[in-house]
Amino acid sequence: MSDTVPRLALLRFLERVQEQDLARTRRWIAEEEQREAERQRGAQARPPTPDWLLERGLNSRSAPVYVHVGGCWNARKRADGVSREQALRALAEGVPACSHCRPDTELGYVEG
């Protein structure tokens, strides 16, 4: 046997391993591209953030506890989007403004 046969066999083996690695890497790339496309579709389908939020209490879905600016980091899951007029009305009725996002300032609300 010649010395080139074993070396050639090893090189062929290495080639197959590298082809498998490349195929796996291409599969990972395709999967990541699909995930990214799904993220982008989700972001495009997401409704816009409301301008104002009314946070309701734990005990009752009807008792508002805070008014927030839309997108406030401190707003809880119990916050629903409301119109500017509803936010102003809630503040006028004594619902406190969030001390973090200050919707009263953003709305130009002055207690009266």
Side-chain angles (χ1 to χ4, degrees), residues 54-68:
L54 193 59
E55 182 179 340
R56 306 218 178 257
L58 285 173
N59 297 334
S60 172
R61 287 288 299 164
S62 62
V65 293
Y66 289 109
V67 177
H68 295 275

Side-chain angles (χ1 to χ4, degrees), residues 16-79:
R16 285 192 307 273
V17 170
Q18 289 177 332
E19 285 174 347
Q20 291 170 353
D21 285 345
L22 182 59
R24 183 179 57 228
T25 301
R26 287 181 174 154
R27 207 170 38 252
W28 289 344
I29 289 170
E31 290 168 0
E32 188 59 32
E33 287 173 341
Q34 183 178 0
R35 279 191 292 274
E36 182 59 30
E38 289 169 3
R39 275 191 291 272
Q40 288 177 4
R41 279 193 301 276
Q44 291 170 351
R46 187 176 303 125
T49 302
D51 292 333
W52 313 104
L53 299 170
L54 193 59
E55 182 179 340
R56 306 218 178 257
L58 285 173
N59 297 334
S60 172
R61 287 288 299 164
S62 62
V65 293
Y66 289 109
V67 177
H68 295 275
V69 172
C72 174
W73 65 268
N74 199 37
R76 305 293 189 249
K77 291 182 179 179
R78 299 176 312 276

